[in-house]
Amino acid sequence: MESTLPYSWYTDPEIFGREQERIFRSAWAYAGHLGQVAELGSFFTTRAGQMPIVVTRARDGELRAFRNVCRHRGFPLAEGEGQRETLQCPYHAWTYGLDGSLRAAPRSDEEPHFPKDELGLCRASVGTWGPFVFVNADADPEPLSDALGSMPEQVAELGLDVDKLCFYSRWETELEANWKIVCENFLECYHCQVAHPQLAQLLDVSAESYALSTDGRLSSQRGATREGGGTRMHLDGELPRGQFHFLWPNLGVNIFPGRPNISIGPMVPLTPGRTYRFLDYFFGVDVDQAWIDELMAFDDQVGVEDRALVEGVHRGIASGALEHGVLLTHSEQLIGHFQQLTRAALAD
Ligand code: FES
Ligand SMILES: [Fe+2]
């Protein structure tokens, strides 16, 4: 049997700092959807790892991303989302265009050589897959398509056209658990039979039928709907199977069988013991409200069950009772894969 990562890695601030530097500093992060920057002159704020980011659509129509920190003395510039022509810092009112250029800085004309052209916002990167917007704190990262790997292809093969999806809602929460515990919980359905009775009625979660695979940084789980399952959820629809993808380091993507649907969002480390999680839900335009309501209620229930699990694991791990745990070779192979990638990234 394989051992898990050392349990000290789930609480140690030094490891947390190294994760930020080595893993998240240059990773693509799911940020939001194109509807948030559909209009010319719009923006929204997000983060890539711990780096605050603002995504903008200036008058020229181009989608851009910047580090959301004022070049003057470091105040976080934009907040939330909205429509406007410029971003003004609340501290001393330096004003930037949505193209990142510094437009005005009070009293700067009194400076002998004020290098206005050099004081625009620092470039970050932005990319899209269908309606999904990703950001990267790096100005020149690997292409987003390389990071996404075969996920877009696998989703298309299932028969889901992401370009035809409409944003429905965002769900947000904070969990009292290390981000890796939240990811690892996503990566196995060994617990589904025990902890998610409704999910286990909907999908065949048995070891024989529930398929696990990896491809580079992508880990995928596929579940067929259970024949004659006692669930109330209506499974007739275009999508014959569920697909649950995890893109290392921290992105989860869920597609349930039935009507066109997807939910996508990251598990963002806040502190060694705290994780921010959000999920953006999208549905096909003609999916009826009753179907959406049923899926949302079902998924809420799974979320409540998973919260109790990951917060419990964090308490157990943080207690110092054990040095590490063990992984089942077949059913927990995706956790093994996650831990290998994580270990390699943190190695000297
Ligand atoms: S910190 Fe932004 S204007 Fe001074
Ligand atoms: Fe779960």
Side-chain angles (χ1 to χ4, degrees):
M1 262 185 135
E2 202 180 335
S3 293
T4 64
L5 295 176
Y7 280 169
S8 60
W9 288 23
Y10 294 78
T11 54
D12 184 349
E14 210 254 320
I15 291 283
F16 185 83
R18 211 185 311 169
E19 289 169 346
Q20 290 303 324
E21 196 49 40
R22 305 260 182 98
I23 297 177
F24 292 102
R25 183 67 184 60
S26 56
W28 282 99
Y30 174 77
H33 61 97
L34 279 176
Q36 292 173 276
V37 275
E39 303 294 324
L40 300 181
S42 57
F43 74 96
F44 72 90
T45 58
T46 179
R47 48 195 286 170
Q50 293 195 316
M51 183 83 72
I53 301 281
V54 57
V55 177
T56 68
R57 171 105 53 202
R59 284 277 147 209
D60 62 5
E62 200 183 317
L63 193 61
R64 295 181 177 88
F66 303 97
R67 297 182 178 184
N68 186 22
V69 175
C70 181
R71 290 295 304 276
H72 176 218
R73 296 251 309 287
F75 199 87
L77 187 63
E79 220 186 277
E81 58 179 73
Q83 268 174 267
R84 49 197 307 162
E85 296 304 319
T86 56
L87 300 172
Q88 188 174 67
C89 180
Y91 201 173
H92 313 90
W94 283 28
T95 304
Y96 302 86
L98 294 183
D99 60 1
S101 60
L102 178 61
R103 297 281 172 82
R107 303 188 203 170
S108 61
D109 48 354
E110 294 163 19
E111 284 299 303
H113 302 290
F114 186 73
K116 197 173 174 188
D117 293 347
E118 292 162 28
L119 290 170
L121 294 174
C122 290
R123 273 313 262 265
S125 300
V126 61
T128 58
W129 163 36
F132 315 129
V133 178
F134 293 78
V135 295
N136 193 309
D138 210 318
D140 189 24
E142 68 166 335
L144 174 63
S145 56
D146 289 5
L148 294 176
S150 61
M151 179 162 58
E153 211 177 294
Q154 293 191 38
V155 170
E157 270 166 26
L158 180 71
L160 184 62
D161 182 352
V162 294
D163 286 312
K164 296 218 174 95
L165 295 172
C166 294
F167 174 74
Y168 181 74
S169 65
R170 174 170 291 188
W171 170 84
E172 295 178 281
T173 195
E174 281 186 29
L175 299 156
E176 297 288 338
N178 183 266
W179 70 278
K180 297 188 290 301
I181 296 174
V182 183
C183 295
E184 288 163 5
N185 177 65
F186 184 91
L187 283 165
E188 51 92 356
C189 209
Y190 179 33
H191 72 275
C192 295
Q193 193 71 55
V194 187
H196 301 310
Q198 265 189 302
L199 178 68
Q201 277 187 350
L202 173 74
L203 295 178
D204 186 347
V205 296
S206 66
E208 307 75 55
S209 132
Y210 194 76
L212 307 174
S213 61
T214 62
D215 181 16
R217 279 168 274 177
L218 187 68
S219 288
S220 305
Q221 307 174 58
R222 283 183 191 70
T225 52
R226 202 185 265 292
E227 281 300 317
T231 174
R232 292 180 305 116
M233 242 181 94
H234 228 291
L235 296 173
D236 301 341
E238 296 86 332
L239 309 178
R241 298 164 77 84
Q243 277 189 4
F244 307 95
H245 298 288
F246 178 85
L247 186 64
W248 189 85
N250 68 335
L251 179 68
V253 175
N254 308 293
I255 302 167
F256 285 97
R259 306 305 316 277
N261 74 91
I262 203 167
S263 59
I264 176 169
M267 301 149 217
V268 185
L270 295 178
T271 68
R274 210 166 166 79
T275 300
Y276 167 63
R277 174 109 172 86
F278 75 88
L279 264 183
D280 281 352
Y281 287 84
F282 297 79
F283 293 96
V285 264
D286 58 354
V287 178
D288 54 290
Q289 192 62 42
W291 197 89
I292 294 175
D293 290 345
E294 222 169 328
L295 183 112
M296 299 298 288
F298 165 83
D299 214 24
D300 271 357
Q301 177 59 30
V302 173
V304 168
E305 290 158 357
D306 277 327
R307 168 186 293 280
L309 299 174
V310 299
E311 293 187 343
V313 168
H314 190 88
R315 287 194 301 276
I317 283 181
S319 72
L322 301 169
E323 276 172 27
H324 61 82
V326 291
L327 296 173
L328 292 198
T329 313
H330 176 75
S331 295
E332 293 173 306
Q333 57 182 285
L334 301 185
I335 297 183
H337 186 65
F338 169 83
Q339 299 200 345
Q340 256 170 31
L341 290 167
T342 304
R343 209 186 276 276
L346 299 183
D348 287 317

